[in-house]
Amino acid sequence: MSVPRSRLLDLMKVQCRIFSTTYNPDRLRLGNKILRQRLKGPTLAAYYPRRVATIKDLQKEFPNFAVWDDDELDRLEKVANAKRRGKGAPKKKSSAAESKKFVKKKKTQGAAA
């Protein structure tokens, strides 16, 4: 007492139309489950606070006005004090040859030790 395949397919078509699902008699992986989900973009965008204008942005927008950033001035002063005490960042090598000399010195020191 089996039902013909064509009749089952017709029933499946009607069922899909009633329940608003995709008709897929071959049972292929179409990704409908993913496509039906809510989009995550707006939720993620709302999670992070909106970017507020900074003093640096004001300086770029209005270069004619004297706008100063106390935090940046403090940072620069701290860097200058560290340099005076000899605790600043090392000078960058101006050429590739200077960099190679430093590497060679380091290698020879390691071998002697």
Side-chain angles (χ1 to χ4, degrees):
M1 175 111 188
S2 67
V3 181
R5 179 163 167 73
S6 63
R7 183 148 171 125
L8 286 175
L9 291 177
D10 290 338
L11 176 67
M12 201 157 75
K13 275 185 192 176
V14 173
Q15 183 180 352
C16 290
R17 206 174 321 126
I18 291 171
F19 295 110
S20 300
T21 57
T22 306
Y23 176 67
N24 186 11
D26 299 328
R27 296 189 178 132
L28 299 173
R29 296 181 69 163
L30 302 176
N32 290 318
K33 178 180 173 184
I34 305 299
L35 294 172
R36 270 188 273 121
Q37 292 176 359
R38 280 188 324 158
L39 295 175
K40 295 177 182 165
T43 308
L44 289 175
Y47 177 80
Y48 295 103
R50 291 188 182 270
R51 188 167 173 266
V52 180
T54 60
I55 293 176
K56 199 177 273 189
D57 294 336
L58 288 174
Q59 287 174 340
K60 284 181 189 175
E61 285 292 320
F62 307 106
N64 301 344
F65 294 109
V67 179
W68 59 89
D69 184 1
D70 289 332
D71 293 333
E72 182 68 11
L73 293 175
D74 290 343
R75 186 188 72 81
L76 292 174
E77 188 178 332
K78 187 176 177 182
V79 168
N81 287 339
K83 276 189 180 179
R84 262 188 256 121
R85 290 182 297 146
K87 302 289 185 180
K91 291 182 180 177
K92 292 184 179 179
K93 301 294 179 181
S94 59
S95 67
E98 288 179 9
S99 296
K100 288 178 185 174
K101 286 181 191 175
F102 179 70
V103 171
K104 287 180 185 176
K105 284 182 188 177
K106 198 170 188 180
K107 284 182 181 177
T108 55
Q109 287 175 357

